[in-house]
Amino acid sequence: MQRIEETVKPYDQNFTTMVPTGFVKFMRTCLIWQFIRFIAINIKMIIVVRKSHG
Amino acid sequence: MARLVVMGGGVSGHTAATFAKDWLGDEHEVVVVTPNSQWNWIPSNIWVGVGQMSKEEVVFPLAPVYEKAGIDFRQAKAVSIHPNGGEKSDKEYITIEYTGQGKEGQTEEITYDYLINATGPKLNFGATPGLDEGHTVSVCTADHAVHANLELKKVFEKAKTEKQKILVGTGHGMCTCQGAAFEYIFNIEHEANKAGVRDNLEIKWISNESFLGDFGIGGLHMKRGGYAASSRLFAESLYSERGIPWIIGAHVSKVEAGKAHYELLDGSTGEEEFDFAMLIPPFAGVGLKAYDKDGSDITDTIFAPNGFMKVDAKYDAGAYENWKASDWPRTYQNPTYSNMFACGIAFAPPHLISKPMSSVNGTPINPTPPRTGMPSGIIGKNVAHSVTDLIKKGPDAHLHEASMAEMGAACVASAGKGLTDGTAAALTVYPVVPDFEKYPGLGRDLDYTFGEIGLAGHWIKHILHHLFIYKAKLKPGWTLIPE
Ligand SMILES: Cc1cc2nc3c(=O)[nH]c(=O)nc-3n(C[C@H](O)[C@H](O)[C@H](O)COP(=O)(O)OP(=O)(O)OC[C@H]3O[C@@H](n4cnc5c(N)ncnc54)[C@H](O)[C@@H]3O)c2cc1C
């Protein structure tokens, strides 16, 4: 995987946006953390679904 | 005995018909007229389009499901509506043309007491010269997605030895469904990495959005690190991270073999070469006609110029500055014929959700409003509820309401399909149509509008795939699964 500093080019289209750090990328596929997020996202989605059903 | 006819057996129509039949029971008839023999869980077409799912996994035959439910299934397309009856009788009816059941090409008249139009979009490839000539692919139907995967694999094969260019996005200045293209481009990128050909692929995004992450809903904001951050940041971040450059504010004006011509908001024009392109076509109504008793054409009374059915929306809101959340329909009842409703993509929205834009040459370049799966399902169910009450409680029954300005949507955009590899963006937006009176500035409730990227989104996408196919097959407990 390319390091974050190498994916961005000065004054290119992608220069002004956020680029995830290695830690953020790791957390996105960390099974334990993602399991916790899975529960959290499900709860949030269920709340939105319930609110939307009037 | 009353008869409800539902035109269209997609996400919205299938929901409406199955709930209506469940609530109405055997005392009343529900007829579904839809041209395909199979139901398609459209969101998973993306996985078919990259070869991660077969067509068989995203479709199932409708006939046995409708037989079990006691729904009269006509594999046919609706052609015209006659809301005041015809020569022989005053009874309202529609005409249909069979596409299956051994009666292909035959026409028939079906009378109705209540009519629900859930015919979804016409994929209007003809709006962009060259878009319908096989130079590009689409993932809008399961068959299109199968074809897209075959073409993609040819490009992957070539990319083993030579550079190849991939272009994904919208094929016209007034397209909607940016989310599907967004999901497809990241799936392509993921598969290219897996196939070891990423280095030889130049993957590029082209879209009519005025900023990346508009998605036809004027973008959205989410809480992140103590800020309300725009979806633009998230979208640009995703594209940057994966090395995908973007062209935005673009109206694809013409497509030729290997080349897309476009005009930008600043009036300049350009061309983009490609070896493989998936460009979403613009949507229109499916072209249903309407006739009065004497045979005169009243299509304009019932349908908006874009072919979508008029409902209880405020169509004369005028300029962007005047737009209000209350312009959006609540009951989806046709204003002229009270026994007629439209749900899902088939209803005419009052106006765009994104701010209207046009190029300096006057070409409109703005996303049209999406009506994604969750709103389509919820609206279908509410309309079915209204019709059920009208039949059971009489014409004064209170109609059920489901405004897109008071409802949220949950969406998951995958990048890959694995349970331990790839990631997905899971997000909710509440409400879908921003309400700037209730939530000044952002238009949305920051507590219920959120999104994040990770494997969890993948797991949710898998669960949704199985859950909604289970529900659509009317398996035990299906009514308990929300839309
Ligand atoms: C590739 C792709 C991916 C998507 N991914 C997502 C996602 O992840 N999440 C999400 O929420 N939404 C997603 N969507 C959007 C979602 O699929 C639509 O919002 C939803 O299908 C709309 O439901 P509908 O019933 O209005 O239309 P459809 O589901 O298209 O159903 C319309 C039905 O009407 C039938 N019909 C057409 N003409 C006639 C006629 N003349 N007479 C009778 N019947 C007719 C059609 O055959 C079809 O069965 C995606 C869309 C696409 C194209």
Side-chain angles (χ1 to χ4, degrees), chain A:
Chain A
M1 192 178 286
Q2 271 189 308
R3 290 175 64 229
I4 171 174
E5 296 87 337
E6 292 161 10
T7 54
V8 175
K9 302 266 178 303
Y11 291 92
D12 230 15
Q13 208 175 25
N14 63 8
F15 191 52
T16 51
T17 192
M18 313 186 291
V19 238
T21 57
F23 177 71
V24 170
K25 285 188 182 176
F26 167 75
M27 293 304 267
R28 285 178 185 172
T29 51
C30 165
L31 290 178
I32 298 166
W33 177 241
Q34 285 303 313
F35 182 72
I36 296 166
R37 295 316 300 157
F38 175 73
I39 307 284
I41 297 170
N42 270 297
I43 292 169
K44 286 180 173 189
M45 281 190 170
I46 287 166
I47 294 170
V48 171
V49 169
R50 285 189 64 137
K51 275 176 79 71
S52 304
H53 276 72

Side-chain angles (χ1 to χ4, degrees), chain B residues 253-266:
Chain B
S253 53
K254 192 168 110 182
V255 179
E256 295 169 343
K259 198 186 279 180
H261 299 259
Y262 61 83
E263 177 184 343
L264 297 179
L265 278 166
D266 67 8

Side-chain angles (χ1 to χ4, degrees), chain B residues 80-372:
Chain B
S80 61
I81 306 173
H82 304 254
N84 298 315
E87 265 177 27
K88 290 169 261 170
S89 144
D90 289 345
K91 185 70 198 152
E92 44 279 74
Y93 70 94
I94 62 165
T95 60
I96 65 168
E97 184 185 319
Y98 280 91
T99 55
Q101 297 174 320
K103 298 189 210 171
E104 287 83 340
Q106 285 181 32
T107 57
E108 201 172 287
E109 293 176 2
I110 304 181
T111 59
Y112 64 84
D113 297 296
Y114 291 92
L115 183 67
I116 296 178
N117 175 12
T119 46
K122 168 185 166 190
L123 304 174
N124 196 11
F125 290 100
T128 305
L131 197 62
D132 57 352
E133 284 167 24
H135 307 310
T136 62
V137 301
S138 138
V139 284
C140 293
T141 70
D143 285 328
H144 287 177
V146 169
H147 172 240
N149 176 49
L150 290 176
E151 295 299 315
L152 183 68
K153 289 292 160 321
K154 285 184 202 163
V155 169
F156 276 17
E157 194 53 43
K158 283 193 194 152
K160 285 181 182 165
T161 51
E162 54 187 297
K163 295 269 180 205
Q164 295 285 293
K165 284 187 170 181
I166 290 183
L167 186 67
V168 175
T170 54
H172 188 273
M174 293 179 71
C175 284
T176 181
C177 223
Q178 288 76 11
F182 172 89
E183 191 175 6
Y184 193 51
I185 199 169
F186 289 116
N187 272 275
I188 290 178
E189 205 271 338
H190 181 81
E191 292 305 320
N193 277 311
K194 267 171 52 187
V197 295
R198 180 68 182 94
D199 288 345
N200 262 350
L201 285 181
E202 188 188 304
I203 307 177
K204 202 174 242 186
W205 172 254
I206 186 163
S207 148
N208 56 352
E209 298 157 289
S210 66
F211 61 90
L212 216 53
D214 177 288
F215 297 128
I217 53 168
L220 54 121
H221 288 75
M222 305 170 227
K223 281 187 199 164
R224 194 61 98 242
Y227 291 83
S230 156
S231 52
R232 173 181 173 164
L233 273 180
F234 288 93
E236 288 187 352
S237 174
L238 271 171
Y239 285 78
S240 300
E241 182 194 340
R242 288 155 209 251
I244 302 174
W246 58 88
I247 303 169
I248 44 165
H251 160 61
V252 172
S253 53
K254 192 168 110 182
V255 179
E256 295 169 343
K259 198 186 279 180
H261 299 259
Y262 61 83
E263 177 184 343
L264 297 179
L265 278 166
D266 67 8
S268 61
T269 56
E271 315 173 342
E272 197 57 43
E273 294 191 350
F274 59 78
D275 299 290
F276 171 94
M278 197 295 290
L279 298 177
I280 299 268
F283 291 175
V286 296
L288 291 169
K289 304 289 284 178
Y291 297 100
D292 207 344
K293 196 172 165 52
D294 62 3
S296 56
D297 193 322
I298 53 165
T299 307
D300 290 355
T301 312
I302 295 177
F303 295 94
N306 55 11
F308 294 121
M309 190 183 262
K310 290 181 197 165
V311 291
D312 61 321
K314 184 170 167 46
Y315 291 108
D316 57 357
Y320 177 71
E321 291 67 33
N322 302 329
W323 292 1
K324 288 202 168 91
S326 55
D327 301 339
W328 285 76
R330 306 184 69 83
T331 66
Y332 304 88
Q333 188 178 41
N334 180 263
T336 316
Y337 297 99
S338 60
N339 60 348
M340 207 148 74
F341 294 79
C343 58
I345 293 174
F347 82 81
H351 41 65
L352 306 182
I353 302 176
S354 306
K355 188 172 180 174
M357 307 257 172
S358 51
S359 78
V360 293
N361 309 320
T363 310
I365 306 180
N366 35 227
T368 47
R371 278 144 285 166
T372 55

Side-chain angles (χ1 to χ4, degrees), chain B residues 51-96:
Chain B
Q52 288 301 307
M53 265 193 183
S54 66
K55 181 186 166 186
E56 289 64 38
E57 287 173 273
V58 301
V59 298
F60 65 80
L62 276 172
V65 176
Y66 285 154
E67 197 182 334
K68 182 172 76 176
I71 292 172
D72 182 347
F73 170 46
R74 312 292 177 103
Q75 196 194 327
K77 62 178 185 199
V79 179
S80 61
I81 306 173
H82 304 254
N84 298 315
E87 265 177 27
K88 290 169 261 170
S89 144
D90 289 345
K91 185 70 198 152
E92 44 279 74
Y93 70 94
I94 62 165
T95 60
I96 65 168

